[in-house]
């Protein structure tokens, strides 16, 4: 009788231990499962001299939970933009895309602005000042008469005795451009400038090649050279070809010149940084970029390697 009672108690105690263990396991799963807070991601580029832009709002999501446009959009937000003394409300046009309810004739130069986004009880803010307009001057393009040979090495296998290396041929294309220097400053200017060369050519292995060339640059405006009252810059990009006898391939080239503030410069520089998962953000209380820029661009067809200059 005592043995039966003892066995019954052991079975009950064992069942209780299993039940408690199961509860602890379930509780531990609930406690350790991360619930990532969602943040709003802002994409807003005000452009001096142009109408107010649409503003894109997205939300952060776990990397293992992909989603479409609707799932990634930050819907139902309240968006306000203060431009100098005027406040403009934005409304949601479609998934995560917000447009101004009323529009200014054009974004004025040299005025303060502030953007406020309210979403799910949180507020994200950014502010700055619109830059003065910028205008491209003459753009000159030149390439060698024949292609040069480049060697591409797989740097990920440097510890191997069998390092893959491939030969390819390309035309390095030199581009020089200029823009009005404006008033000289003795100290650091608040404005940064990014000249960029974007050829419409077949993509080569050339992200590595471009590391040694210079198809884009970002620096303070007063760090560019001045010649005859104009700022100047020289960049180089590569056009890949099949072999050493290949003729120069004609293509379209877009030259872009942008002027912005420190936030714009940090964003532009970090976009190409291989050590970062996302560009630098200037949005307080959220992620993304909200900045004001002045832009000018020139698009021309480059038909040969002979030096040619193009007027704006």
């Amino acid at each position: 009788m005592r043995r039966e009672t003892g066995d019954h108690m052991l079975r009950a105690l064992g069942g209780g231990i299993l039940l408690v263990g199961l509860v602890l396991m379930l509780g531990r799963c609930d406690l350790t499962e991360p619930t990532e807070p969602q943040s709003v991601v802002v994409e807003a580029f005000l452009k001096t001299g142009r109408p107010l832009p649409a503003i894109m709002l997205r939300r952060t999501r776990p990397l293992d939970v992909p989603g479409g446009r609707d799932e990634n959009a930050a819907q139902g937000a309240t968006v306000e933009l203060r431009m100098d003394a005027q406040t403009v409300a934005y409304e949601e046009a479609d998934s995560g895309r917000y447009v101004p309810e009323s529009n200014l004739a054009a974004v004025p130069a040299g005025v303060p602005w502030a953007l406020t986004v309210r979403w799910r009880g949180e507020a994200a803010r950014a502010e700055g000042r619109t830059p003065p307009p910028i205008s491209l001057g003459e753009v000159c393009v030149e390439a060698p008469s024949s292609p040069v040979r480049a060697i591409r090495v797989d740097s990920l296998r440097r510890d191997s005795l069998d390092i893959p290396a491939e030969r390819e041929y390309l035309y390095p294309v030199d581009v020089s451009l200029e823009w009005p220097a404006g008033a000289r400053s003795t100290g650091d200017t608040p404005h940064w400038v990014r000249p960029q060369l974007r050829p419409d050519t077949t993509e080569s292995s050339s992200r590595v090649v471009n590391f040694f060339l210079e198809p884009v640059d970002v620096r303070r405006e007063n760090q560019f050279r001045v010649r005859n009252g104009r700022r100047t810059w020289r960049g180089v990009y590569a056009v890949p070809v099949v072999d050493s006898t290949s003729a120069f391939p004609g293509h379209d080239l877009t030259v872009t010149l942008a002027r912005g503030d420190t936030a714009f410069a940090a964003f532009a520089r970090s976009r190409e940084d291989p050590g970062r998962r996302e560009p630098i953000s200037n949005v307080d209380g959220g992620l993304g970029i909200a900045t004001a820029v002045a832009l000018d661009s020139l698009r021309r067809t480059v038909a040969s390697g002979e030096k040619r200059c193009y007027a704006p």
Side-chain angles (χ1 to χ4, degrees):
M1 184 71 176
R2 288 180 181 175
R3 180 175 298 177
E4 291 179 2
T5 303
D7 292 343
H8 178 73
M9 291 177 64
L10 286 174
R11 284 196 297 271
L13 181 59
I17 291 173
L18 289 175
L19 180 60
V20 171
L22 181 60
V23 170
L24 288 175
M25 287 178 63
L26 291 175
R28 181 171 298 176
C29 288
D30 291 340
L31 290 174
T32 58
E33 185 135 348
T35 56
E36 291 190 29
Q38 292 185 334
S39 299
V40 65
V41 183
V42 180
E43 182 182 318
F45 290 93
L46 310 177
K47 299 173 184 177
T48 297
R50 302 188 187 182
L52 287 178
I55 294 175
M56 298 299 300
L57 299 181
R58 301 179 180 85
R59 58 177 179 170
T60 57
R61 293 172 61 86
L63 292 175
D64 58 348
V65 184
R69 181 179 178 185
D70 290 342
E71 290 82 5
N72 293 331
Q75 298 177 326
T78 301
V79 181
E80 283 188 350
L81 174 66
R82 179 172 55 79
M83 183 73 61
D84 202 6
Q86 184 175 357
T87 299
V88 178
Y90 274 65
E91 60 183 356
E92 189 171 5
D94 48 39
S95 299
R97 182 175 177 269
Y98 293 76
V99 297
E101 294 181 356
S102 60
N103 212 338
L104 301 172
V107 174
V111 300
W113 61 269
L115 176 67
T116 302
V117 175
R118 292 182 174 85
W119 182 70
R120 294 193 173 182
E122 301 292 333
R125 296 182 175 88
E127 60 183 18
R129 180 175 291 270
T130 59
I134 194 167
S135 57
L136 265 170
E138 186 178 62
V139 175
C140 294
V141 181
E142 184 178 14
S145 57
S146 59
V148 300
R149 187 171 67 177
I151 299 178
R152 179 163 54 91
V153 177
D154 186 353
S155 61
L156 296 179
R157 294 181 58 181
R158 286 177 298 178
D159 58 341
S160 172
L161 295 177
D162 180 25
I163 301 178
E166 297 180 12
R167 290 182 177 85
E168 60 180 18
Y169 290 85
L170 51 85
Y171 280 91
V173 183
D174 288 83
V175 180
S176 61
L177 56 92
E178 58 182 30
W179 66 97
R184 291 198 178 188
S185 173
T186 55
D188 279 344
T189 172
H191 302 127
W192 294 68
V193 168
R194 183 192 66 176
Q196 183 178 27
L197 311 175
R198 292 187 290 118
D200 293 338
T201 62
T202 303
E203 187 69 27
S204 72
S205 54
S206 221
R207 195 148 172 182
V208 175
V209 172
N210 282 338
F211 178 80
F212 297 97
L213 303 179
E214 194 174 37
V216 64
D217 195 3
V218 183
R219 41 180 139 145
R220 286 192 184 275
E221 188 163 9
N222 60 3
Q223 293 177 352
F224 290 93
R225 294 180 59 185
V226 177
R227 185 178 60 205
N228 299 326
R230 305 180 79 80
R231 301 275 179 195
T232 64
W233 178 77
R234 174 183 170 272
V236 185
Y237 66 91
V239 181
V241 291
V242 175
D243 55 40
S244 61
T245 63
S246 298
F248 182 85
H251 58 278
D252 289 337
L253 170 67
T254 301
V255 181
T256 304
L257 195 62
R259 174 186 282 143
D261 58 10
T262 303
F264 160 75
F267 172 78
R269 282 179 164 176
S270 61
R271 284 187 65 186
E272 302 299 327
D273 185 351
R276 295 188 60 86
R277 293 181 60 181
E278 70 266 338
I280 290 176
S281 171
N282 74 323
V283 178
D284 184 20
L287 297 172
I289 179 69
T291 188
V293 296
L295 294 173
D296 196 16
S297 63
L298 177 73
R299 184 180 177 89
R300 292 291 186 271
T301 298
V302 182
S304 70
E306 296 180 2
K307 183 174 182 179
R308 292 195 60 182
C309 294
Y310 305 93

